Amino acid sequence: RITPERALEPEWTFKPDSKAKILSCPLADHANDGPPYAIVNRFHPIQAILVNSLILTTKDGKAAIVVEDVNDILLAVDPVGDGARKVLWAQAFDEKGFFRQGDATRMTLSNGRLVNDGRVRVPSTFRATGATFSNITGKGTRALAFIDEFNRLRIALGNEDTFRSSSPVGSGLVKLGVERQVERGGRTYIYSPEPMPLSVDLDGDGVEEIIVPQNQFPGRLAVVYKGPGGYRFQGVNSGFEGTVVALGAVTGDGTPSLVAAVARNTNFLNTQGETTIIMTTAE
């Protein structure tokens, strides 16, 4: 929460074991009558661990584990456009590319465990980090926007692509090494979880635009919108000095306010840093 002095104070903290590194931590409104869930995706390169995700909730003002030791990458999505990420997807890990191509499964929580609720149609290039739904293709239609393995933003209806950016987007601070025995002594392949694109109606016409960090240039954002001639991609210099690791929006009457989490390294080796929360105003 934010104090009157504009400082961030944790409502609760949770310290998991140190056997895996956190690669993403999205929130999910999976429970209609309770607090949001925190989805903690984690990874360690050794074969005995690999992907090791867990889901947290709030109980009596403290963090409580809902389910743990999940061997899939988890993502909360809003496929119907009601503003709440109530649907939970899982994507299996694959050492040949980290994200298993064309794989997404709808999951539900039942008696403290995740239950498979059927396959989801997604493109073969889909990755379960850096993905959101949007009605950018038109009112009443929800398209899936995500960042692919080549750092290009894609927009897809079902498993068919309708747009792919020519400029790179995404990129972040976390790097994940997957060790594969493809040659003598093995080889480590590096992958990056991507920041989540933001789908928000910027001009009040009922059709959402997509904003995504373009961290190939410090503080740069990309805005994708659909006009009479099709999709348009526009780079914007936000003025944020650092790596944009997360985006959000506060909507209501008038122009929405954007919220950005910006990380800056503070030492030469890039092992220490700070994160600043920045909020824009309509003025």
Side-chain angles (χ1 to χ4, degrees), residues 34 46-47 63 66 126 159 178 213 282:
I46 67 172
Q47 292 293 321
V66 178
F126 170 73
N159 56 2
V178 178

mmCIF file of all heavy atoms in Angstrom, residues 34 46-47 63 66 126 159 178 213 282:
data_model
loop_
_atom_site.group_PDB
_atom_site.id
_atom_site.type_symbol
_atom_site.label_atom_id
_atom_site.label_comp_id
_atom_site.label_asym_id
_atom_site.label_seq_id
_atom_site.Cartn_x
_atom_site.Cartn_y
_atom_site.Cartn_z
ATOM 1 N N GLY A 34 -12.535 -13.206 -2.467
ATOM 2 C CA GLY A 34 -11.390 -13.085 -1.583
ATOM 3 C C GLY A 34 -10.307 -12.220 -2.171
ATOM 4 O O GLY A 34 -10.473 -11.611 -3.235
ATOM 5 N N ILE A 46 19.121 -26.773 -12.572
ATOM 6 C CA ILE A 46 19.424 -28.184 -12.349
ATOM 7 C C ILE A 46 18.179 -29.031 -12.633
ATOM 8 O O ILE A 46 17.046 -28.604 -12.391
ATOM 9 C CB ILE A 46 19.954 -28.442 -10.925
ATOM 10 C CG1 ILE A 46 18.876 -28.188 -9.872
ATOM 11 C CG2 ILE A 46 21.172 -27.591 -10.629
ATOM 12 C CD1 ILE A 46 19.297 -28.622 -8.479
ATOM 13 N N GLN A 47 18.398 -30.235 -13.150
ATOM 14 C CA GLN A 47 17.307 -31.087 -13.609
ATOM 15 C C GLN A 47 16.340 -31.484 -12.492
ATOM 16 O O GLN A 47 15.168 -31.766 -12.745
ATOM 17 C CB GLN A 47 17.882 -32.348 -14.260
ATOM 18 C CG GLN A 47 18.602 -32.091 -15.568
ATOM 19 C CD GLN A 47 17.651 -31.618 -16.660
ATOM 20 O OE1 GLN A 47 16.533 -32.088 -16.779
ATOM 21 N NE2 GLN A 47 18.113 -30.673 -17.462
ATOM 22 N N ALA A 63 0.774 -13.996 4.505
ATOM 23 C CA ALA A 63 0.838 -14.787 3.287
ATOM 24 C C ALA A 63 0.609 -16.256 3.610
ATOM 25 O O ALA A 63 1.079 -16.771 4.627
ATOM 26 C CB ALA A 63 2.196 -14.602 2.611
ATOM 27 N N VAL A 66 -1.239 -21.464 -1.274
ATOM 28 C CA VAL A 66 -2.418 -22.157 -1.788
ATOM 29 C C VAL A 66 -2.009 -23.470 -2.434
ATOM 30 O O VAL A 66 -2.610 -24.520 -2.191
ATOM 31 C CB VAL A 66 -3.162 -21.270 -2.806
ATOM 32 C CG1 VAL A 66 -4.367 -21.998 -3.382
ATOM 33 C CG2 VAL A 66 -3.603 -19.961 -2.162
ATOM 34 N N PHE A 126 3.580 -18.723 -28.788
ATOM 35 C CA PHE A 126 3.099 -18.177 -27.511
ATOM 36 C C PHE A 126 4.054 -18.514 -26.376
ATOM 37 O O PHE A 126 4.576 -19.623 -26.279
ATOM 38 C CB PHE A 126 1.714 -18.739 -27.199
ATOM 39 C CG PHE A 126 1.237 -18.435 -25.799
ATOM 40 C CD1 PHE A 126 0.840 -17.152 -25.460
ATOM 41 C CD2 PHE A 126 1.214 -19.428 -24.834
ATOM 42 C CE1 PHE A 126 0.413 -16.870 -24.164
ATOM 43 C CE2 PHE A 126 0.783 -19.152 -23.550
ATOM 44 C CZ PHE A 126 0.382 -17.873 -23.215
ATOM 45 N N ASN A 159 -5.272 -19.295 -32.900
ATOM 46 C CA ASN A 159 -3.878 -19.652 -33.160
ATOM 47 C C ASN A 159 -3.349 -19.014 -34.440
ATOM 48 O O ASN A 159 -2.339 -19.452 -34.997
ATOM 49 C CB ASN A 159 -3.722 -21.176 -33.234
ATOM 50 C CG ASN A 159 -4.636 -21.794 -34.275
ATOM 51 O OD1 ASN A 159 -5.359 -21.077 -34.972
ATOM 52 N ND2 ASN A 159 -4.629 -23.112 -34.372
ATOM 53 N N VAL A 178 19.524 -22.320 -19.209
ATOM 54 C CA VAL A 178 19.101 -23.720 -19.306
ATOM 55 C C VAL A 178 20.281 -24.531 -19.815
ATOM 56 O O VAL A 178 20.785 -24.294 -20.920
ATOM 57 C CB VAL A 178 17.890 -23.884 -20.245
ATOM 58 C CG1 VAL A 178 17.509 -25.357 -20.367
ATOM 59 C CG2 VAL A 178 16.709 -23.067 -19.730
ATOM 60 N N PRO A 213 6.769 -2.197 -22.764
ATOM 61 C CA PRO A 213 8.124 -1.651 -22.627
ATOM 62 C C PRO A 213 8.985 -2.029 -23.828
ATOM 63 O O PRO A 213 8.864 -3.122 -24.390
ATOM 64 C CB PRO A 213 8.638 -2.310 -21.345
ATOM 65 C CG PRO A 213 7.406 -2.664 -20.572
ATOM 66 C CD PRO A 213 6.395 -3.035 -21.605
ATOM 67 N N ALA A 282 -3.275 13.062 -16.222
ATOM 68 C CA ALA A 282 -3.876 13.489 -17.489
ATOM 69 C C ALA A 282 -3.301 14.818 -17.960
ATOM 70 O O ALA A 282 -3.258 15.112 -19.156
ATOM 71 C CB ALA A 282 -5.395 13.596 -17.334
#
